[in-house]
Amino acid sequence: MKLVWSPDTALKAYIYTVKSCGNFKESGVPELLSAMAAGWNAKLIVESWSYGGSMATSIGLAVAAHHTCGRHVCIVMDERSRTEYIKSIQGAGMTKTEVIVGEAKEVMAGLAGVDFLVVDCKRRDFVRVLRFAKLSHEGAVLVRKNAFQSTLSGFRWHGVLEKGTHVVRSVFLPVGKGLDIVNVGSSDGGVASSKRSPSHWIRCIDQKSGEEHVFGVKFLVC
């Protein structure tokens, strides 16, 4: 079974995230990622978060998990981060997110079948999170958030993905502080498909510049 794009679910998650993240200034990142995760019907959504970071993307991913009846798991580096994250995410009304403390290799080993993964490039261990991720055999979408602020120069997806991984498409979007996205195909070489031929368009506004970005989400990473 391959990942199948559902525009209706994507739109519902997008709208709910817009309402839930009204007080945040994330330049469309939460809404876009929420729509993508929900649209692909992701069942295991994983993200990395560091102390002091914005909660908007986390809220968007939690919304997506709600619409797909999936799991939303957040990886943090220490107990201080865990306490702060739980306080913030629950304060936003999201009570089902799982929070795990630990080193990237150890934590990712216990999360098999990841089909949507978002890492924050501000975290020094984001490469290790990607490298040790156990991706779903049906395909996965991987996202580097805050890519413009990455302290690692010369990042290449082939340097972190397992040898033989089938990359369907990769794209870099000037949304927020940079989104670097890659779609990994299923283990049998298949690609994600869509129930409908028309694409669904997502409109994102950069809160700082006022610039508008419009993306055909169906074709964004498929």
Side-chain angles (χ1 to χ4, degrees):
M1 180 179 177
K2 309 297 187 302
L3 290 175
V4 177
W5 176 254
S6 172
D8 292 338
T9 306
L11 182 58
K12 290 177 182 177
Y14 176 81
I15 293 173
Y16 198 96
T17 301
V18 169
K19 295 178 180 179
S20 301
C21 295
N23 295 326
F24 296 92
K25 303 298 181 181
E26 282 265 334
S27 303
V29 171
E31 296 89 345
L32 180 59
L33 295 184
S34 180
M36 289 174 61
W40 287 127
N41 195 32
K43 297 301 183 182
L44 180 51
I45 302 171
V46 179
E47 66 166 322
S48 67
W49 185 84
S50 55
Y51 187 85
S54 172
M55 295 300 299
T57 294
S58 297
I59 293 172
L61 296 177
V63 168
H66 171 75
H67 281 83
T68 66
C69 297
R71 293 173 64 193
H72 172 220
V73 180
C74 182
I75 304 168
V76 297
M77 302 185 70
D78 50 43
E79 286 296 334
R80 183 182 72 156
S81 298
R82 180 179 182 275
T83 300
E84 178 65 21
Y85 186 90
I86 291 177
K87 177 182 177 181
S88 299
I89 197 75
Q90 292 184 350
M94 309 297 168
T95 60
K96 296 184 178 181
T97 296
E98 304 170 40
V99 187
I100 303 177
V101 179
E103 193 274 331
K105 182 177 182 179
E106 177 184 346
V107 172
M108 297 310 290
L111 295 172
V114 176
D115 44 21
F116 201 90
L117 174 61
V118 180
V119 297
D120 190 342
C121 289
K122 291 181 179 180
R123 274 184 55 147
R124 62 179 181 272
D125 66 341
F126 81 88
V127 171
R128 291 177 61 80
V129 174
L130 292 170
R131 180 169 291 140
F132 294 115
K134 294 183 177 298
L135 305 180
S136 168
H137 296 302
E138 298 178 3
V141 175
L142 312 179
V143 181
R144 291 198 308 134
K145 177 186 172 184
N146 294 320
F148 288 139
Q149 297 185 325
S150 175
T151 58
L152 179 66
S153 61
F155 175 87
R156 295 291 184 275
W157 283 107
H158 65 74
V160 298
L161 296 175
E162 184 177 352
K163 186 177 180 180
T165 299
H166 175 49
V167 175
V168 180
R169 179 74 60 82
S170 63
V171 63
F172 195 103
L173 302 178
V175 181
K177 296 178 180 177
L179 290 177
D180 189 10
I181 306 171
V182 66
N183 176 211
V184 175
S186 62
S187 56
D188 64 3
V191 298
S193 61
S194 172
K195 292 180 179 179
R196 306 178 183 180
S197 56
S199 61
H200 178 73
W201 296 94
I202 293 294
R203 174 175 173 267
C204 300
I205 303 294
D206 189 306
Q207 300 296 333
K208 293 183 178 180
S209 67
E211 183 178 1
E212 178 180 0
H213 303 282
V214 182
F215 304 101
V217 185
K218 171 190 166 186
F219 300 106
L220 183 60
V221 291
C222 65

